[in-house]
Amino acid sequence: MNPRIDINYDKLKHNANNMVNKYQQHGVHIAAVTKGFCAVPEIAKAIVEAGVKYLADSRVENLIKLKEFPLEKILLRLPMISQAEKVVQYADISLNSEMETMKALNKYAAAQNKLHKIILMIDLGDLREGIFDEKQIDAIFDELKTLKHIQPIGIGTNLTCFGGVIPDEKNLGRLVNLGKYIEENFDVKLEIISGGNSSSIYLVEESRMVQGINQLRLGEAILLGTESAYGKILEDQYQDVFKLVAEIVEIKEKPSVPIGEIGRDAFGNVPTFNDRGVRQRAILAVGKQDFGMHEITPMDKNISILGSSSDHLIVDITDSSEPLKVGDELQFALGYGALMSLMTSEYVYKNIIK
Ligand SMILES: *Cc1c(COP(=O)(O)O)cnc(C)c1O
């Protein structure tokens, strides 16, 4: 079925298992982030079998899909107050930064006779979520003591998301020290110091991870085998767990510059062209409605992408490694954005290969 995304179950399991084992030696456990594949349970199973400690997702709808797995589940995006009841129902742990939200969680946890665990988010400078003014921490922990159905079990941070700030000894060191301060002053045990996402792993890879960071929340490193601080490949991970496969619906020789006055393309941009003479072009039945504005890369290095519109992808196959005909399939490697879009597209068949 085309277009489709081929998902290699064993390679995914290897990637997750490899990280679990390696990071264990550095005192770091893994919360595996499932949003990249929309938390499809048949895919999540590989990650659970690999021995990760938690499953984590930014959307409650995805945590609901994961409810049959016996692991504790973490909600990554700050909860919406309007969803607080569901958050308590389907997440064991949530990341938080707002007292009003934690009060709402407390209310529903009381109603459901539950203890809802929270990780308080600290903004170390990336300027997305979290407490920025450390002076507020005292008041927050004082007030948390009055919420009987909320249990603060950790603090965490998120970096390299909005501001592109890279995790290092300095900012993660501040997080660890803050944790010590909280434990000493507020009679709580912080069992989790959550040091970020796939941008933090270079520190582990270089055996430089700050002592005291004991959790990373990892999507990209497991799914794509790359780290996201410097965009490097992880040598002992597979980069081709997920592949886009699309089908050729036209092959024709055409000039490389359009004929006529150039106005706007299908997305309102004025395109420019290099004249490379007549080229062999193929059109594939997949487009921006599926992969969004994100990058995809032909697995055949001798094929290049010329452009795409909502339902069509146009590639130059003049130098392709193999002869191609209409009906043939081409494979593409994916970045995180493309993976998310393709997994979300209802027009793309999800083909799990075991
Ligand atoms: C998505 C997300 C992650 C995982 O990020 P990766 O770069 O895929 O490892 C971690 N933490 C939070 C809060 C997230 O939203």
Side-chain angles (χ1 to χ4, degrees):
M1 265 220 268
N2 289 327
R4 66 176 192 270
I5 186 158
D6 278 348
I7 303 147
N8 188 307
Y9 191 88
D10 291 333
K11 286 185 179 177
L12 177 60
K13 190 168 165 181
H14 163 91
N15 278 5
N17 188 249
N18 185 38
M19 302 221 75
V20 168
N21 292 337
K22 195 160 55 161
Y23 285 36
Q24 211 160 20
Q25 296 159 23
H26 297 266
V28 175
H29 70 253
I30 290 172
V33 175
T34 53
K35 67 190 181 205
F37 58 92
C38 303
V40 172
E42 293 78 12
I43 304 174
K45 192 160 175 279
I47 289 174
V48 172
E49 286 173 351
V52 301
K53 187 158 180 191
Y54 300 100
L55 291 174
D57 205 288
S58 42
R59 292 167 198 259
V60 176
E61 293 77 1
N62 284 351
L63 293 183
I64 292 173
K65 296 189 207 168
L66 300 169
K67 70 181 191 317
E68 302 306 332
F69 294 109
L71 285 66
E72 282 195 304
K73 284 152 213 97
I74 304 178
L75 180 66
L76 294 172
R77 186 168 63 190
L78 304 178
M80 293 184 255
I81 290 178
S82 63
Q83 243 188 354
E85 185 172 13
K86 277 209 160 123
V87 172
V88 169
Q89 201 175 347
Y90 295 106
D92 304 282
I93 305 168
S94 60
L95 308 186
N96 284 274
S97 68
E98 291 287 352
M99 192 47 77
E100 283 312 307
T101 309
M102 291 187 275
K103 283 183 188 164
L105 293 169
N106 184 60
K107 182 178 100 181
Y108 289 111
Q112 296 175 31
N113 203 14
K114 276 185 174 169
L115 196 55
H116 183 73
K117 300 175 184 176
I118 63 137
I119 294 175
L120 190 74
M121 292 303 276
I122 311 290
D123 187 341
L124 299 173
D126 197 56
L127 307 186
R128 200 176 75 178
E129 73 272 49
I131 311 295
F132 185 75
D133 180 2
E134 287 180 16
K135 289 197 286 294
Q136 294 173 355
I137 296 233
D138 288 24
I140 291 170
F141 275 87
D142 276 337
E143 191 158 9
L144 278 176
K145 276 188 201 151
T146 69
L147 304 181
K148 296 298 174 210
H149 291 265
I150 294 292
Q151 183 187 11
I153 59 156
I155 57 174
T157 196
N158 198 59
L159 291 158
T160 340
C161 264
F162 174 76
V165 173
I166 289 179
D168 58 21
E169 283 89 346
K170 198 161 163 232
N171 49 33
L172 290 184
R174 252 177 71 208
L175 186 71
V176 170
N177 286 338
L178 211 53
K180 286 181 190 150
Y181 169 82
I182 293 164
E183 286 195 323
E184 282 161 13
N185 290 277
F186 293 95
D187 188 33
V188 287
K189 173 89 190 81
L190 297 182
E191 59 188 81
I192 295 176
I193 308 290
S194 192
N197 53 52
S198 296
S199 72
S200 294
I201 60 176
Y202 83 97
L203 290 168
V204 184
E205 300 289 325
E206 296 175 9
S207 294
R208 281 167 56 194
M209 181 45 91
V210 177
Q211 271 291 323
I213 300 290
N214 64 4
Q215 177 185 85
L216 293 176
R217 310 176 307 270
L218 302 181
E220 179 170 333
I222 296 173
L223 305 180
L224 300 181
T226 48
E227 62 81 41
S228 55
Y230 300 101
K232 285 198 191 133
I233 280 172
L234 302 167
E235 297 293 344
D236 48 1
Q237 297 278 91
Y238 291 108
Q239 280 78 46
D240 58 352
V241 173
F242 296 89
K243 277 188 283 196
L244 169 66
V245 182
E247 185 173 325
I248 298 175
V249 293
E250 178 185 295
I251 295 180
K252 297 207 185 298
E253 291 204 332
K254 297 187 185 183
S256 36
V257 178
I259 292 96
E261 193 188 338
I262 307 290
R264 289 164 189 279
D265 67 14
F267 285 82
N269 307 305
V270 178
T272 54
F273 301 92
N274 287 335
D275 192 353
R276 304 181 62 206
V278 172
R279 308 288 292 176
Q280 182 118 54
R281 298 153 69 100
I283 300 179
L284 296 144
V286 68
K288 286 196 168 82
Q289 178 140 33
D290 308 300
F291 51 76
M293 297 303 199
H294 306 290
E295 207 170 327
I296 58 174
T297 313
M299 302 290 260
D300 180 347
K301 298 291 170 243
N302 297 316
I303 292 177
S304 59
I305 293 180
L306 296 170
S308 60
S309 52
S310 42
D311 312 298
H312 299 83
L313 174 65
I314 303 139
V315 297
D316 185 328
I317 57 166
T318 314
D319 305 317
S320 71
S321 307
E322 284 166 30
L324 293 167
K325 59 181 191 308
V326 172
D328 283 352
E329 295 175 347
L330 288 182
Q331 296 188 334
F332 297 84
L334 308 173
Y336 203 64
L339 173 64
M340 284 188 139
S341 288
L342 288 161
M343 286 302 301
T344 308
S345 173
E346 62 174 281
Y347 306 104
V348 178
Y349 177 69
K350 318 310 184 285
N351 183 33
I352 302 169
I353 303 165
K354 285 209 182 187

